[in-house]
Every structure is written in C-alpha cells, then in structure tokens.
Amino acid sequence: MGDVLAGNHAVWEFDSDSVLIRFARGMRTPRLWQALSSRRIPLEAVSAVTVTAGRRDTVVLRAVPRPGADPLMEAAAGQLKDACDPYRVVLPGERATSAAAFAAALRSRLGPDAAEPAPRFLVDVPQPPLQLKAYDARVGFDGSSVGFHWSRTGATGTKWKAGDQQYPLAEVTGVEWRSPGGTGGHLRLLLRETPADPRPDHDLATAVFSVGYGAVHESLPFAAAVLAATRSRTPVAAARGRSGDERLRHLSELYSAGLLTDGEYATLRDRFTAESR
C-alpha cells in the first residue's frame, strides 16, 4: 500500500490504482460517511484533486469525481453539503505539506481522459437486497425490482387505494433523489413508459421523506444502488426500436444470459408481443 493521510473523521490511503477512504465512526462523523463505512475510488474515476485553506486553521483536500463515474454522486446531483461530501477531508493546518504532497502524487497518476465524462460507473455502491423506510412507504430493492409498500398512516389516499407497487428494473430508466433535509424530499423512479405525477405524494413510483424517515444516510445509498442497477440493464433498452421479432429474439437472449428475471422477461415479452400486433 502507499501513502496514508489521516484527516478529521476519515483516513485516505493511496494505492497504485485507487484511493481507499475509511470513514471513522462517532458522533461527529457525518451519518452518511458512517453508513458508507469505506469506499475504494479507482484513480480512473477522479478528474482532479484540490487542496484549499479551510476554516479555523485547517486545510481541505478534495478529489473531484469524473462526471458519470460514481452513482452516489450522480444520484446526489450536487445536493450534498460540504460536510457530507465523501470526496472531501479536512486536516489540521500543520498537515498542509502532507496534504499537498498526497494531492500531487494523486494528480500524477490521473489519466489523459480524466477531464472527460466516465463511460460507465466506476465506483461501487451498496448492493441489494436493500430496504428503505420513507414517510409514506417501505421501499425494497432486491436487485431485480423495486417495491413500494404503502404506509397506512403516511400514504395519501391515491397511493393507498392503488395498492402496493412493484417495478421490474427493466421498466426503470433512472432515479430522482431529492434531499430530505429541511422540508423533506423524495425518491422517484423514472419509468420507461409511465409519466410521473409532479406531486410526489401522489406518484405511485415515488416515496416521500420527512423528518426521521428516509434520512440522507439511508436514502442516498439506496438511490445510488438502484441507479447503478438501471445502467447495467441498458441492453434491455436496446431492444426498443427494433421490429417485433427482433425485439423478442433479443429479449430471449437477455433472459438466457441471466440478465432478466422471470418476471421481467414475462412483462417485456407480453408488451412487445402486444405492440407488434
């Protein structure tokens, strides 16, 4: 292993092809960092490294992820406060020289395409099965589908009357996460053919957050995991735009390769068959 840099609530370890970030546990450590525990950031996922002066005689080292490299940061979409940014570490002012040397070593290993968007997700996120308790639902992700089990006390009449919802991953094109800080937020699945209701508390593919329900450290890793999984399903999207027979043949190939569950395969097979009539 390479150089080690210990900052407030995190330790960064520089290896030949990655940076391992271990987050401390404790009352002062951001809860998101505690939930993540540790992260290995491949150097190909980094676009730049900065060292700046912080408050109260500190220095701040920050790695800037390439756009599209980290599903966690893509889901966050710039909504994380600096104190929760997992790519940022604060060090005492007397460690400024060490921080500068660490940053220089890291910069020297960045590739020529570091400034370009990443061609795929490069940083790992929590893996399913995952559970999330929101204000109006319990949301589950088993790796193949996302389910919403509505709360009798929190869900609106629209959601309660519609009943629990289950969305195969093949029907999901993306995830919209709104930070639950302040007045609340939501986790919305963006569906392939179903328009979203702009009202999160009425949308059947959206869970609403409130104080104590769906905090950042719970909801953001969940959103990132679903987002990463949708990107790995892009071959399903490629089936669209083809003739009916071609789409069904391609669908069978995906199913045979284990890229679709029985439920996903049946849903898409029936839809493609109906559309080709």
Side-chain angles (χ1 to χ4, degrees):
M1 302 298 289
D3 296 336
V4 175
L5 192 66
N8 294 352
H9 316 307
V11 176
W12 290 34
E13 188 168 2
F14 180 36
D15 201 358
S16 59
D17 62 352
S18 63
V19 175
L20 176 62
I21 303 176
R22 295 188 179 94
F23 300 110
R25 301 191 66 83
M27 292 182 62
R28 295 188 177 183
T29 303
R31 296 180 74 185
L32 174 62
W33 292 14
Q34 295 187 50
L36 295 173
S37 179
S38 67
R39 306 194 83 205
R40 184 173 294 278
I41 311 299
L43 297 185
E44 61 176 329
V46 178
S47 66
V49 187
T50 64
V51 178
T52 57
R55 303 172 63 183
R56 300 179 182 178
D57 191 28
T58 61
V59 293
V60 179
L61 171 68
R62 183 171 186 268
V64 181
R66 291 174 65 184
D70 186 348
L72 187 85
M73 302 307 286
E74 292 296 303
Q79 299 174 75
L80 285 181
K81 298 178 180 179
D82 283 347
C84 292
D85 184 349
Y87 285 84
R88 181 179 181 271
V89 62
V90 179
L91 304 104
E94 62 264 23
R95 302 295 307 280
T97 300
S98 298
F102 190 98
L106 188 52
R107 288 191 202 100
S108 70
R109 303 301 296 270
L110 301 184
D113 57 351
E116 300 296 324
R120 65 188 187 283
F121 286 140
L122 302 170
V123 184
D124 291 336
V125 291
Q127 296 299 302
L130 298 170
Q131 296 289 326
L132 171 64
K133 183 180 180 181
Y135 176 70
D136 63 353
R138 288 186 178 274
V139 192
F141 176 44
D142 63 5
S144 62
S145 64
V146 181
F148 293 81
H149 180 71
W150 305 122
S151 164
R152 182 180 293 274
T153 56
T156 58
T158 299
K159 291 182 174 180
W160 188 251
K161 291 176 182 177
D164 295 345
Q165 302 292 310
Q166 195 79 20
Y167 297 99
L169 203 59
E171 297 298 303
V172 181
T173 61
V175 177
E176 177 184 87
W177 179 79
R178 290 293 177 265
S179 174
T183 58
H186 64 260
L187 171 69
R188 185 196 303 274
L189 301 183
L190 305 178
L191 304 178
R192 199 173 298 281
E193 293 187 349
T194 305
D197 189 316
R199 302 166 298 174
D201 57 344
H202 285 73
D203 189 273
L204 300 182
T206 300
V208 175
F209 306 136
S210 183
V211 176
Y213 299 91
V216 170
H217 72 283
E218 300 164 329
S219 59
L220 181 56
F222 187 100
V226 176
L227 180 61
T230 63
R231 297 288 177 87
S232 69
R233 295 288 188 177
T234 50
V236 176
R240 297 184 177 275
R242 305 183 180 193
S243 69
D245 290 342
E246 288 176 334
R247 290 195 296 176
L248 289 170
R249 183 165 54 252
H250 181 67
L251 197 64
S252 297
E253 292 172 354
L254 294 175
Y255 180 63
S256 298
L259 294 176
L260 294 175
T261 66
D262 292 345
E264 290 172 334
Y265 173 71
T267 297
L268 290 173
R269 179 195 59 202
D270 293 346
R271 174 170 296 173
F272 291 164
T273 300
E275 290 175 352
S276 64
R277 289 175 181 169

